[in-house]
Amino acid sequence: AIHLTQSPSSLSPSVGDRVTITCRASEGISTVLAWYQQMPGKPPKLLISDASNLETGVPSRFSGSGSGTEFTLTISGLQPEDFATYYCQQFRSFPLTFGGGTKVEIK
Amino acid sequence: QVTLRESGPALVGPTQTLTLTCSFSGFSLTTSGMYVTWVRQPPGKALEWLALIDWDDNKYYSTSLKTRLAVSKDTSKNQVVLTMTNMDPVDTGTYYCTRIPGRFLEWEGGFHYSGMDVWGQGTTVTVSS
């Protein structure tokens, strides 16, 4: 199975900060990686597909990049509504796998 | 509008079998390239993928749980059913169903999958005697 390692596991930025979350795959997965945002008590929401494709309606301050084994999710200018947990997930092969999550908490 | 809704028991006993139903609307699981999948989340922990069924009735399972899981579909009812045997307290958590639409890419000669684009609200299952 392809293992996804997210870092950091948590961070406490301030509103307006630039935030970068990394997802590393145990083997190359091309760009078949998605990013999700999960608010407490809610289901995850798809933010980015194919490593860098912003889903409709997702604010442009979110961006994704990477290919192969290293990927990043960047939030440029953190807003109060962005405090949540973020997960990466790969579609390269079964079993599908998620990263361990990155919790973005209010400082 | 695409919606999915999970239903099932809120409480199951240890060693019992859990049966969850995902009822969906706004799309069909007869559409080529369509997947419906199950994901769970223990309290305070990360998402874990469980199982998937596709339009052609192919099924895929988590490696660690495959001996306990079974997924099936009823296309006439727009439902997908997940069963998990031999439930244990560590299986306590929220269970989600979600869809993954595929796009056919000529140059790849197959379907491309990008993301779990619509999720149900989840159903909470507690395993306890």
Side-chain angles (χ1 to χ4, degrees), chain B residues 101-123:
Chain B
R103 288 179 295 129
F104 187 78
L105 299 181
E106 293 275 355
W107 62 88
E108 287 190 6
F111 289 95
H112 180 73
Y113 297 94
S114 302
M116 301 176 184
D117 68 343
V118 183
W119 293 65
Q121 285 300 305
T123 187

Side-chain angles (χ1 to χ4, degrees), chain A residues 38 85 87 99-101, chain B residues 40-48 90 92-94 96:
Chain A
Q38 187 178 31
T85 302
Y87 295 93
Chain B
R40 73 176 179 180
Q41 185 171 38
K45 295 190 176 181
L47 301 169
E48 179 184 15
V90 299
T92 293
T94 300
Y96 297 100

Side-chain angles (χ1 to χ4, degrees), chain A residues 1 32-34 36 38 42-44 46 48-50 87 89 91 94-101, chain B residues 35 39 41 45-49 52 60-61 63 96 100 103 112-117 119-121:
Chain A
V32 284
L33 185 104
Y36 302 87
Q38 187 178 31
K42 298 293 185 182
L46 178 63
I48 289 172
S49 59
D50 290 328
Y87 295 93
Q89 181 250 320
F91 282 93
F94 290 107
L96 303 183
T97 46
F98 288 90
Chain B
Y35 289 166
V39 174
Q41 185 171 38
K45 295 190 176 181
L47 301 169
E48 179 184 15
W49 177 74
L52 180 149
Y60 303 90
Y61 297 103
T63 304
Y96 297 100
I100 310 172
R103 288 179 295 129
H112 180 73
Y113 297 94
S114 302
M116 301 176 184
D117 68 343
W119 293 65
Q121 285 300 305

